[in-house]
């Protein structure tokens, strides 16, 4: 099976907080991340499928760029995630939730024989999440 990955970058801010916990409990779980802070995220979108004989590609990269720009980057870039994006109401703006959000916003738009295989989102040099779609 073949895979192609396109990388994207965006900047966004968030904070972690659970309203049902005390300040001390929030701080013990989330540390200083209870304060608004930002990240320079690196997003890898991996597509799998057969090679199109006419183009030589698994998927049209220009089309993938349009899908990601219109359905992910235009929403997330320079946002305060938990404040600006309705999908995150009642959810932490964690890397784990972000990859699910991104999948949900890309997968329906991938057309033809190609399929979305994986979303990888790097939040920091030492933290990233990978998502292979719903079970």
């Amino acid at each position: 099976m073949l895979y192609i990955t396109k990388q994207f970058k965006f900047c966004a801010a968030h904070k972690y907080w659970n309203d049902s916990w005390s300040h001390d409990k929030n701080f013990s779980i989330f540390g200083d991340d209870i304060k608004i802070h930002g990240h320079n995220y690196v997003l890898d979108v991996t597509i799998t499928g057969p090679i199109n004989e006419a183009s030589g590609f698994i998927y049209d990269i220009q089309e993938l760029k349009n899908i990601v720009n219109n359905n992910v980057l235009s929403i997330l870039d320079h946002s305060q995630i938990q404040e600006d994006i309705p999908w995150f109401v009642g959810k932490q703006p964690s890397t784990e939730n972000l990859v699910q959000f991104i999948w949900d916003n890309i997968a329906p738009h991938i057309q033809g024989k190609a399929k979305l295989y994986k979303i990888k989102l790097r939040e920091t040099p030492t933290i990233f999440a990978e998502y292979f779609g719903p079970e």
Side-chain angles (χ1 to χ4, degrees):
M1 188 64 72
L2 290 167
Y3 306 91
I4 184 97
T5 300
K6 173 74 177 128
Q7 191 169 86
F8 302 88
K9 296 180 181 178
F10 65 93
C11 301
H14 65 173
K15 74 173 189 173
Y16 295 119
W17 187 264
N18 185 324
D19 286 333
S20 66
W21 294 346
S22 68
H23 180 276
D24 290 343
K25 170 111 185 215
N26 273 287
F27 187 76
S28 73
I29 300 297
F30 302 127
D32 283 335
D33 289 345
I34 63 173
K35 300 173 188 170
I36 296 172
H37 61 283
H39 298 284
N40 297 316
Y41 290 94
V42 179
L43 169 64
D44 292 336
V45 177
T46 303
I47 305 291
T48 188
I51 296 174
N52 177 304
E53 290 184 27
S55 69
F57 300 145
I58 294 172
Y59 197 75
D60 180 342
I61 294 298
Q62 293 302 318
E63 179 63 18
L64 181 60
K65 284 171 56 176
N66 290 337
I67 291 167
V68 173
N69 284 331
N70 293 334
N71 298 286
V72 175
L73 301 183
S74 67
I75 297 167
L76 288 173
D77 194 33
H78 289 86
S79 71
Q80 186 175 335
I81 297 166
Q82 77 285 351
E83 297 292 328
D84 297 338
I85 303 169
W87 191 91
F88 284 90
V89 171
K91 297 180 184 86
Q92 293 292 343
S94 64
T95 310
E96 295 91 321
N97 280 329
L98 276 163
V99 291
Q100 291 180 52
F101 170 81
I102 293 166
W103 181 283
D104 290 350
N105 281 278
I106 294 174
H109 300 283
I110 304 297
Q111 302 295 314
K113 296 179 181 178
K115 302 289 181 232
L116 183 57
Y117 176 73
K118 178 177 76 170
I119 299 296
K120 178 180 179 182
L121 184 63
R122 183 170 296 280
E123 180 175 309
T124 71
T126 62
I127 297 173
F128 66 88
E130 296 178 304
Y131 186 56
F132 294 86
E135 293 183 45

